[in-house]
Amino acid sequence: MALAFKTRELQLRITPTGEEAVGTYDFESPGGDIREDSDGYVVDAAIQSYKLESFVSGNPSEWPIGGASVSLEVKNKARRKATVVVRANLRPHEATARTNPAFQFRATVTVLVIADLKGSTS
């Protein structure tokens, strides 16, 4: 079974207003065509790691993050490529952090993309 693995780190600036921050990674197969089965092209992705950070006036802060979510999906699967879409959102504990522009938040997400290459058997 021939598999292709690629990782990519994405940094997303998050506004604490309830809007999702969205980042994309356009994966291209490094070793040939992606195998296709009855469900489409065999390519998937996983969150390898993520880190949520808060800043006040540009300086790292220990401000409590509150509720947070990080998700991903694989779209536009094709013969040699796919698009990975990463979404991050957070809800800080205090109303001050939601309304004061000095508070900034960032998500660093590392995704792992795995593709089953044509010519392999599974």
Side-chain angles (χ1 to χ4, degrees):
M1 174 183 292
L3 298 174
F5 296 90
K6 272 192 161 180
T7 60
R8 173 63 56 100
E9 182 179 279
L10 300 168
Q11 288 196 349
L12 307 166
R13 290 189 65 202
I14 302 173
T15 58
T17 59
E19 297 177 27
E20 286 184 326
V22 179
T24 60
Y25 166 44
D26 292 322
F27 166 81
E28 291 194 30
S29 172
D33 292 349
I34 298 170
R35 187 174 65 81
E36 189 174 10
D37 67 11
S38 60
D39 293 326
Y41 290 97
V42 184
V43 59
D44 209 346
I47 297 172
Q48 184 173 1
S49 65
Y50 71 93
K51 177 170 68 170
L52 301 172
E53 299 172 281
S54 60
F55 300 87
V56 178
S57 301
N59 296 311
S61 168
E62 293 299 321
W63 189 266
I65 295 287
S69 65
V70 178
S71 63
L72 63 77
E73 68 177 310
V74 181
K75 301 174 83 173
N76 305 324
K77 297 178 183 181
R79 183 172 56 90
R80 293 189 57 94
K81 60 185 178 177
T83 300
V84 179
V85 180
V86 177
R87 291 180 173 81
N89 193 358
L90 59 84
R91 293 159 303 286
H93 284 298
E94 300 291 327
T96 305
R98 290 191 294 266
T99 59
N100 185 338
F103 288 90
Q104 299 171 348
F105 301 90
R106 178 174 64 201
T108 303
V109 182
T110 303
V111 297
L112 170 65
V113 182
I114 306 164
D116 190 353
L117 302 180
K118 194 178 267 189
S120 64
T121 58
S122 50

